[in-house]
Amino acid sequence: MSAVLGADAHHHHGPAKGFKRWLFTTNHKDIGTMYLWFSFAMFLIGGTMALVIRAELFEPGMQIVHPEFFNQMTTMHGLIMVFGAVMPAFVGLANWLIPMMVGAPDMALPRMNNWSFWILPFAFAMLLSTLLMEGGGPNFGWTFYAPLSTTYAPASVNYFIFAVHMMGISSIMGAINVIATILNMRAPGMTLMKMPLFVWTWLITAFLLIAVMPVLAGAVTMMLMDINFGTSFFKAEGGGDPVLFQHVFWFFGHPEVYIMILPAFGVASQIIPTFSRKPLFGYPSMVYATASIAILSFVVWAHHMFTVGIPLAGELFFMYATMLIAVPTGVKVFNWVSTMFRGSLTFETPMLFAVAFVILFTIGGFSGLMLAIAPADFQYHDTYFVVAHFHYVLVPGAIFSIFAATYYWLPKWCGNMYDETLGKVHFWMSFIGLNMTFFPMHFVGLAGMPRRIPDYALQFADFNQISSVGAFVFGTTQLLFLFIVIKCIRGGKKATAQVWEGADGLEWTLPSPAPYHSFSEPPTVK
Amino acid sequence: MATQQSYYVPEQSKWPIIATVGLFLTLSGLATVMVNKSGGDTSTGWWMFSIGVAVMVYMLFGWFGNVAKESMAGLYNAQMDRSFRWGMSWFIFSEVMFFSAFFGALFYVRFLAVPWLAGEGEGTMNTLLWSNFEGSWPLLHNPDPKVFPGPEAVINPWSIPLLNTVLLLTSSVTITFAHHAIKKNDRDKVKLWLALTILLGAVFLGFQVYEYIEAYHELNLTLDSGIYGTTFFMLTGFHGMHVTLGAIILTVILLRYMKGHFSAEHHFGFEAAAWYWHFVDVVWVCLFVLVYIM
Ligand code: HEM
Ligand SMILES: [Cu+2]
C-alpha cells in the first residue's frame, strides 16, 4: 500500500482551489457538475431560439425575423438541444452517478473524462459563432440533408462540420469511459444483473454511442468532401445520390433518439420504485427490453424516409420493424405502471416528473406508432404532427427525466433538500406549458401545416397562438428551476444519507453531500 | 498486497485542456481555410491549423509521457490494465463503424443508386434525368460527363494492390512474432520484428502513393471523377491515413521498447499498437476484396 500512497500522498485531499480545479480536474463529480451546468446553459440558449420561432409563429404572416434567420433558428435549436442540452445532461448524470452506483472510486479513465467534457464548450462556441458569419449559420435543419447542406449551404457549413466532429469525439470518449467504468469498476459482488437500471441503460446507451457517432462523423466527412474536394457522394451527376445522405444520417439518427431516451428510462426506473416503496417490477425484463430496443434501433432508420422514394419492400420492412420496437417499449411502460400498482405512493417532485414522464412519453410513443404506418406517414411526414411526436418523447421524455433526476439526486450532491413547494410549482408550470405548446401541434399537423416554415395559412392561427403562449410559459418556468437549484446548493434543510425513505442503492450509503472521492475502498455487495 | 486494491485516480492534469485547445485550433483552422479557399485569405486558417497541430504534438508527448511514467512507477494495477484494454477495444470498434459508413456508401451507390439512375426498378429516374446513362461498375461513364468526366480505367487489383495485400498480411505476422519475442524477453528479436513491421508498412504506403500518382496521371481516376473515384479514394485514403498513424505508433513503441519501457509481463502499449495494426490489416483485406476486386 505504502508504495502507492508514497508516490501519491496528496491523494486524499479535497478539490483544488480556484479555476484550476475545473480546468484540470479528473474528478467524476466535478466533471459531472460541469456537464450539467453546460447542458443547462445550452438548454437556455436553445430554448431562447425556440422562443424566437414561437414568437414568429404567434401569428400568420412575417413579423419578427427574416425567413433566412428563421431557418437558422430551427436548425440551431435542434442541434443545440440534441447535442448540447440532452446528451451532455445525461453524460453529466452518468458521471455523477455511475461511480457511486457501482461502488467505484471514480470513472475508469479520469483524464480522458476531463477531455470529453472540455471539448464541448469549444465545439459549441464554434457552432454558435457561425451565426455571426457572413452568409449566416447553418440553415438546413438539424438533419442537414444534402444538397441543402452541401451545394446550397452557407460557407459557414465548414465550421458546422468540424463542430460536429468535435462533439462526436467528445461523445465517443465519454461513452468509452462509461463502458470501461461499468465493465471494470464494479464493486465485488455487483454482478451485471444486480446493477441499478440507470447503469444498465447507460451501458447500452454507451454502446449505441460508440456504434453510431462514427457514422455521423462519416456523414459530415462525406459532406466536407463533396463541398470542398469535388467528390460526388450526394451528387447524382457523378453517380452518387442525395438519398445516400439520408440513409447515412438516419443510420446514426434513429439510434441517436434512443441515446436520448434510454438513460431517461433508467432514471424513471430508479425513481418510481423509491416513491412507490416497492422494488422495480420485472427487473430482468427491463434489461432485456432495453437491449432489444437498442438492437432494433439499427434496423428502423428508413421510417424517416418513407416519402423519399424507397422500394416497396423497403417501406414494408421498415414499417414492421418500427412497429416491433413498440413491443419492448410497451414492456417498459407496463413495468413502471406495475411498480406503482398497489405501492404506497407519494408524489414528491421527482416522482411527479417521473409519473408525467410515463404518461406523456407514452403519448409520444403512440404518435410514433401512427407515423410508423408507412401509408399514413405519407400524409404526416414533414408536418407539425412529426414535431408534436418528437417533442412528446423528448421534452416530457428526456428533459423531464433530467429534471426528475436533478431533484432526486440533488440532495445527495449538495447535502441540502430543495424547496419542495417551488419544485412542485416548477413541475406543474412545466407540465401545463409543455402540453399547451405541443398538444395543439398534433392538430395543425394532421390538418397539414408543414414544419420549418415561418409563415402559415390562416386556419392554423388559433392553435399556433396556444402553442406560442405555452412555449413562453414553459420557457420562463425554467428560470424558476435555475433559482431552485441555486437556492438548494446555497442552503436548505440538511439531507440525510438516505435522503428518500424508500431509496435503495449504493449511492445512498454515502453521506450527503457525497465525499469528493466516492468509494476509495470498494464496498461489498451482497 | 493491498496495492492491488487501490485504483489509480490521477490528480489534476493540464493535458486534457491543452488537447482541447489544440484540437479546436486545428479544426477551426481547417474550416477557416476551407471557407476562404476561393478568393479569400487562407493564411490565418493555416496559422491556426499549424499552431493547433503543434499544440497537439506537444500534448501527445506530455500526456503519453505522463502515462508512461506512471506505468513504470508501478501505479497501475491489473484493474487499471483492464480499463486500458476496454478503452482500446471500444476505440477500435468506433473506427470499425467509421469505415462501415463508407463501405455502406459504396454498397449503396453500387447496388442501388447507380442501377436506379440507369433505369432499373419501378422508377423512371433515368428518363427524367439522363436517359442515355448506362450503369456499370466500375463506373467509367458518369451520368453527366460534362460535370464529372469519368476515369479511363481503374487500378488492376492483381498488380500493386495484390502486392500490398501480401505486404500487410506479412506485417501482421511479423508483429505477432514481435509479441512472442516480447513475452520471451528476447530483446533483439523484438526490435528486429518491430522494425520489419514498420518497414513493411512504409513500403505499403510507398506503393500506395505510386498507385495514386498513376491513377491521377494516367487513368484520370481522381477524387472528382465521379462516384467510383469518390469511393475509391475515400476508402483507400482513410485506410492509408490509418496505416500512417499505425506506423508512427509502432515507431514510438519501438523507441520506447529500446528505452526499456516494456517488460515481458507489462507491455500493454505494445499490445494496443498491435491490435490497431491488425485492425488496419483487416480493413485492407475488406478493401482489397470490395473495392479493388469486386
Ligand atoms: C414507439 C417508439 C417510436 C416510434 C414508433 C417512432 C416513430 C417515428 C417515425 C415513423 C418518425 C418519422 C416521422 C416522419 O418524419 O414522417 C419519427 C420521427 C422522430 N422521432 Fe420517433 N418514434 C418512436 C420513439 C421516439 C423516441 C423515443 C424519440 C426520442 C427520444 C423519437 C424521436 C424522434 C425524432 C427526433 C423524430 C423526427 C426527426 C426529424 O425529422 O427531425 N422517437 N418517429
Ligand atoms: Cu426514428
Side-chain angles (χ1 to χ4, degrees), chain B residues 63-271:
Chain B
W63 192 334
F64 280 108
N66 255 11
V67 173
K69 221 178 279 159
E70 289 163 5
S71 167
M72 285 185 306
L75 295 176
Y76 295 167
N77 59 9
Q79 195 182 17
M80 187 80 204
D81 193 58
R82 281 198 300 277
S83 287
F84 284 140
R85 279 165 201 274
W86 279 124
M88 189 66 194
S89 321
W90 287 104
F91 167 67
I92 290 180
F93 175 61
S94 79
E95 292 264 46
V96 169
M97 292 308 294
F98 181 75
F99 275 99
S100 304
F102 288 90
F103 278 114
L106 172 66
F107 173 86
Y108 179 82
V109 291
R110 184 172 168 182
F111 294 110
L112 298 172
V114 169
W116 285 339
L117 277 170
E120 219 176 76
E122 306 138 33
T124 46
M125 229 182 331
N126 66 324
T127 46
L128 291 176
L129 291 168
W130 298 279
S131 47
N132 298 327
F133 174 64
E134 278 173 42
S136 65
W137 198 267
L139 188 63
L140 300 184
H141 303 285
N142 293 318
D144 189 343
K146 280 198 221 62
V147 187
F148 288 102
E152 278 153 34
V154 299
I155 303 283
N156 172 11
W158 307 113
S159 55
I160 289 182
L162 179 64
L163 190 63
N164 265 347
T165 310
V166 176
L167 288 176
L168 270 199
L169 286 179
T170 317
S171 76
S172 250
V173 177
T174 52
I175 197 160
T176 308
F177 286 163
H179 192 196
H180 287 304
I182 271 201
K183 284 200 257 181
K184 289 201 206 97
N185 225 345
D186 192 342
R187 298 189 58 85
D188 289 334
K189 284 244 176 74
V190 176
K191 284 182 236 166
L192 175 75
W193 290 123
L194 255 182
L196 196 59
T197 310
I198 298 166
L199 185 72
L200 287 166
V203 175
F204 170 94
L205 284 172
F207 277 133
Q208 197 74 352
V209 170
Y210 178 82
E211 180 185 292
Y212 277 15
I213 294 174
E214 184 187 71
Y216 261 79
H217 290 285
E218 324 242 305
L219 307 175
N220 190 36
L221 174 60
T222 63
L223 256 185
D224 45 11
S225 65
I227 197 65
Y228 185 86
T230 297
T231 51
F232 174 81
F233 281 107
M234 290 304 286
L235 276 159
T236 56
F238 270 118
H239 176 263
M241 278 159 63
H242 281 74
V243 177
T244 314
L245 188 64
I248 295 174
I249 295 174
L250 286 178
T251 313
V252 173
I253 294 292
L254 177 59
L255 294 176
R256 283 187 59 195
Y257 187 76
M258 303 210 289
K259 277 184 145 186
H261 282 193
F262 302 118
S263 68
E265 296 80 33
H266 295 286
H267 47 260
F268 178 68
F270 171 88
E271 282 176 79

Side-chain angles (χ1 to χ4, degrees), chain A residues 110-127:
Chain A
R111 278 178 289 226
M112 192 172 84
N113 200 13
N114 175 313
W115 196 20
S116 309
F117 168 74
W118 273 107
I119 287 177
L120 283 181
F122 285 81
F124 280 88
M126 184 140 86
L127 182 63

Side-chain angles (χ1 to χ4, degrees), chain A residues 349 352-353 356 360 395 400 403 407 421-438 469-481 484:
Chain A
T349 310
L352 285 175
F353 275 108
L360 299 182
V395 180
F400 265 27
F403 288 152
Y407 285 111
T421 318
L422 288 183
K424 290 209 164 89
V425 174
H426 174 224
F427 168 75
W428 283 110
M429 297 280 286
S430 298
F431 183 86
I432 293 167
L434 99 92
N435 281 300
M436 248 176 102
T437 313
F438 299 116
V469 172
F472 278 87
V473 172
F474 185 84
T476 37
T477 303
Q478 304 323 317
L479 298 176
L480 175 64
F481 177 56
I484 297 171

Side-chain angles (χ1 to χ4, degrees), chain A residues 254 257 303-304:
Chain A
H254 189 80
V257 306
H303 65 216
H304 297 273

Side-chain angles (χ1 to χ4, degrees), chain A residues 142 250 257 304 322 368 371 377 381 386 389-390 393-394 451:
Chain A
W142 85 276
W250 286 115
V257 306
H304 297 273
T322 303
L371 292 165
D377 185 64
H381 179 65
V386 179
H389 158 65
F390 66 73
V393 282
L394 284 170
R451 61 189 285 205

